[in-house]
Amino acid sequence: MPPALPPASVAVVLGTRPEIVKLGHVIRLLGPAARVVHTGQHFDASLSAVFLEAFGIGAPDVHLSVGGETRGRQIGIAVGALDEHFGDDRPLAVVGQGDTNSTLAAALAANAREIPLVHVEAGLRSRDRRMPEEHNRVVTDHLADLCCAPTETSRGNLRSEGIPDDRIAVTGNTVVEAVTSLQPDHDRRQDLLGEYRLEANAFVLSTFHRPENVDDPATLRSILESLAALPIPVVLPMHPRTRARVERFGLGELLASLRVTEPIGYVDFLGLAASSAMLISDSGGVQEEASVIKRPVLVVRRSTERPEVLGTFAERVEPGPSIGEVATAWWSEIDDLHARLAGIPSPYGDGTASEQTVAAIAALVG
Ligand code: UDP
């Protein structure tokens, strides 16, 4: 165990559901040393409170309100509010995760106050400069005093940009322990199948929310049409951003043959994912989770920052007919595909990433 840190001395900044998923165990392991700072980037109960609860984390210690703003204003407001907070009550370290506007704001605010910064899930690169996430992660990595890289590939990305080895630790990805600790048992999974009127291994679980897929009416239409034409039921928990676009573009009638739901809590989402035939998604985290639950994921994106799963758990396609072609081909040999994936280890480590991260934080501030 790392040496005890003073109470509330490590500010863990988060603002969206994937950050809660990937920092949940880090916060638990930090115990009283953790100070949870929520920027409010996505503060709806369905995207925030239910995720904190799943990890046994109470209300955030500090709550800022940057939601509903443009990217620039979100980052600017969050940096200002974090700067004020860090000025009033200086932490020993700031921890941010991934590639959100909240992560970048945490990095800039820590840097401005000269507080050591730890970046969890460092070194991912899509090389796609059209994605705001790519800029967020690059800047955060370069400001970080410690980059916790999930894989050797991500370490290689950091090294190739000149980040020295003494600022990099390869820890694995904390998603592994999130999935293995919260995956519901067989009985709960059976109940879920009953609630959603589904048969095990005979449905698709799908999520979409990235601007490249939902902000253009023609692209969103083609994705929804592809999902509706699949030979098995499709469960589509709809992100608020996607729902707003469907309404704005008048695409509601395309939802008729899909099983559209509100965003699903993490535990139930994992249960449905593990019982599904396949996942079709533009999510980053779902690609990693697929490698732990051993289900294939069709990644609908122009690029991916997670090449580790391509060719095994994941295939990437652009929106359009390829969605139906690949999904139908997978469906035609689904049992064999599941059997093959069951034998492939996740590239994201052994489930100790959170422990390694907390030990590294303690060493950094100790
Ligand atoms: N997720 C969930 N319920 C849902 C949809 C997604 O619990 O209805 C989880 C999913 O398992 C993953 C995370 O939310 O852990 C992904 O969030 P999102 O796709 O918003 O972000 P990204 O991973 O792309 O950054």
Side-chain angles (χ1 to χ4, degrees):
M1 278 301 286
L5 294 162
S9 60
V10 179
V12 183
V13 181
L14 43 79
T16 67
R17 71 183 167 190
E19 292 163 84
I20 301 172
V21 166
K22 304 230 179 113
L23 291 171
H25 280 298
V26 171
I27 292 168
R28 281 172 57 109
L29 290 168
L30 282 169
R35 179 195 315 174
V36 179
V37 181
H38 199 306
T39 64
Q41 187 175 336
H42 288 162
F43 203 66
D44 333 20
S46 68
L47 297 184
S48 184
V50 293
F51 284 81
L52 290 167
E53 269 163 36
F55 286 91
I57 301 168
D61 301 298
V62 181
H63 183 225
L64 317 173
S65 305
V66 306
E69 300 284 352
T70 61
R71 175 164 183 256
R73 281 185 62 80
Q74 252 181 15
I75 295 166
I77 294 168
V79 173
L82 287 167
D83 181 63
E84 199 176 319
H85 172 66
F86 295 157
D88 290 344
D89 188 0
R90 184 184 177 87
L92 293 178
V94 172
V95 179
Q97 186 279 334
D99 55 24
T100 69
N101 296 340
S102 302
T103 314
L104 175 58
L108 292 168
N111 180 259
R113 289 269 172 194
E114 298 181 11
I115 301 168
L117 171 69
V118 178
H119 188 201
V120 174
E121 199 182 75
L124 277 62
R125 294 291 183 269
S126 67
R127 317 278 174 215
D128 182 350
R129 288 176 49 82
R130 293 167 296 188
M131 292 184 71
E133 293 93 332
E134 182 74 356
H135 300 278
N136 290 350
R137 58 174 86 94
V138 168
V139 176
T140 305
D141 282 335
H142 283 262
L143 292 178
D145 298 279
L146 175 65
C147 290
C148 295
T151 65
E152 287 297 336
T153 303
S154 35
R155 186 201 324 245
N157 290 335
L158 295 167
R159 277 180 170 159
S160 72
E161 292 174 15
I163 295 180
D165 280 341
D166 63 2
R167 279 173 35 210
I168 308 172
V170 177
T171 56
N173 194 310
T174 57
V175 78
V176 175
E177 49 268 34
V179 175
T180 49
S181 65
L182 293 178
Q183 177 69 65
D185 62 16
H186 177 78
D187 287 354
R188 177 63 194 141
R189 282 171 53 186
Q190 288 303 114
D191 290 349
L192 279 167
L193 291 174
E195 279 170 38
Y196 285 85
R197 294 173 290 110
L198 296 164
E199 268 179 57
N201 302 322
F203 66 95
V204 173
L205 182 60
S206 185
T207 73
F208 282 91
H209 74 290
R210 297 221 115 71
E212 67 182 73
N213 286 328
V214 306
D215 283 4
D216 171 54
T219 307
L220 183 54
R221 169 181 285 278
S222 110
I223 289 171
L224 294 173
E225 285 175 345
S226 303
L227 294 178
L230 293 179
I232 49 177
V234 177
V235 180
L236 181 67
M238 193 122 58
H239 193 283
R241 180 189 178 91
T242 310
R243 187 175 288 282
R245 299 300 184 275
V246 167
E247 281 166 19
R248 187 193 302 167
F249 304 147
L251 298 176
E253 87 281 1
L254 295 177
L255 305 181
S257 54
L258 304 173
R259 312 265 179 104
V260 177
T261 70
E262 291 299 308
I264 300 173
Y266 191 51
V267 173
D268 287 355
F269 186 86
L270 289 176
L272 284 177
S275 300
S276 71
M278 68 188 82
L279 300 144
I280 303 182
S281 178
D282 61 10
S283 164
V286 167
Q287 296 173 53
E288 297 153 351
E289 287 158 355
S291 75
V292 184
I293 58 171
K294 313 299 181 197
R295 284 294 177 270
V297 56
L298 188 52
V299 181
V300 183
R301 296 258 299 263
R302 290 184 302 217
S303 58
T304 179
E305 58 292 317
R306 291 167 168 89
E308 295 91 343
V309 283
L310 288 178
T312 51
F313 298 97
E315 182 161 340
R316 188 185 67 78
V317 295
E318 309 251 335
S322 306
I323 297 177
E325 286 159 18
V326 177
T328 307
W330 281 354
W331 175 240
S332 70
E333 52 133 17
I334 200 69
D335 293 338
D336 290 346
L337 179 55
H338 288 174
R340 264 202 315 278
L341 296 182
I344 302 177
S346 168
Y348 294 111
D350 59 2
T352 61
S354 300
E355 276 172 43
Q356 293 184 53
T357 300
V358 170
I361 295 168
L364 182 73
V365 302

